[in-house]
Amino acid sequence: DNKPTDEELQWKNTVPLDRVEWLLIGLVLGQLVMGKGMISAVGIEPPTETWLQAHTLVGLAIWVLAIVALIQHWLRRQSPAPIDLSTGRRFWYRAWYALFFLFLLLAPVAGVLQMQYGSKPLSIFGSRLPAWVQPDESMASLFATVHKILAYALAGLIFLQLADILYKVISRGRRARTA
């Protein structure tokens, strides 16, 4: 019998994310560090080809994994929110989930468009992809800004989710001590 135990259900309500989502969160946090490192912490202006290629490959992996996770949820016809959450918490989780995946899908596209409009060659595994758009520095700047805003928005969503989990763990511990 594969029925989850009460303890497993409690944990699922505390941390209502699948393994793929946790992998995506880890990759996004790594991308934030790498992206910030490319721009300022290491002082690389412009970023070296190695940094840029690594950032691009991880961004592509995030984009593909996000699509896989969405297909997985669609095929299972499963709500992203656990069933036994309150209405308010269910709304919060669904909104978080929708924004998280929207930003996961849009950030890599904005990054690629930033590079394409900025006349930066895009190569994956050593193969250069053809330019899809004509170089335009104002569009490159626009997509750089969009990419940065989406990256910070993803970081904010991740930290909200982690704060929510921490709150639930702490409040569950308090309830257990007072019971």
Side-chain angles (χ1 to χ4, degrees):
D1 188 22
N2 287 336
K3 196 172 183 182
T5 65
D6 286 342
E7 187 175 305
E8 289 171 330
L9 286 174
Q10 274 187 331
W11 180 248
K12 178 68 176 169
N13 288 337
T14 301
V15 186
L17 299 175
D18 288 334
R19 288 180 193 105
V20 173
E21 284 130 2
W22 282 110
L23 176 60
L24 284 165
I25 285 172
L27 289 171
V28 167
L29 292 175
Q31 282 289 79
L32 290 167
V33 170
M34 190 184 315
K36 198 68 175 154
M38 284 191 312
I39 293 167
S40 63
V42 182
I44 300 172
E45 283 289 341
T48 64
E49 186 67 29
T50 304
W51 276 85
L52 198 53
Q53 192 156 40
H55 190 74
T56 302
L57 287 173
V58 175
L60 177 64
I62 288 171
W63 193 75
V64 169
L65 279 172
I67 290 172
V68 167
L70 288 171
I71 290 171
Q72 174 187 0
H73 281 284
W74 180 75
L75 288 175
R76 286 191 285 170
R77 304 222 190 283
Q78 178 181 356
S79 168
I83 295 168
D84 54 347
L85 292 181
S86 68
T87 304
R89 292 193 50 76
R90 184 183 276 285
F91 173 79
W92 141 253
Y93 189 74
R94 283 184 173 163
W96 180 91
Y97 195 86
L99 290 172
F100 181 68
F101 277 95
L102 178 66
F103 296 166
L104 281 178
L105 294 173
L106 292 178
V109 171
V112 166
L113 287 172
Q114 169 193 351
M115 291 174 62
Q116 290 279 310
Y117 277 115
S119 300
K120 293 182 180 80
L122 181 63
S123 59
I124 297 176
F125 299 115
S127 298
R128 287 193 183 223
L129 300 177
W132 306 319
V133 297
Q134 294 297 321
D136 182 338
E137 284 304 314
S138 65
M139 291 299 286
S141 178
L142 170 70
F143 281 106
T145 302
V146 169
H147 187 68
K148 188 182 293 186
I149 289 169
L150 288 168
Y152 287 127
L154 276 166
L157 286 172
I158 289 168
F159 289 116
L160 279 173
Q161 181 69 15
L162 294 175
D164 182 58
I165 290 168
L166 184 61
Y167 170 77
K168 287 188 280 188
V169 167
I170 290 170
S171 64
R172 181 169 290 134
R174 276 194 210 133
R175 282 195 307 261
R177 281 186 298 220
T178 59

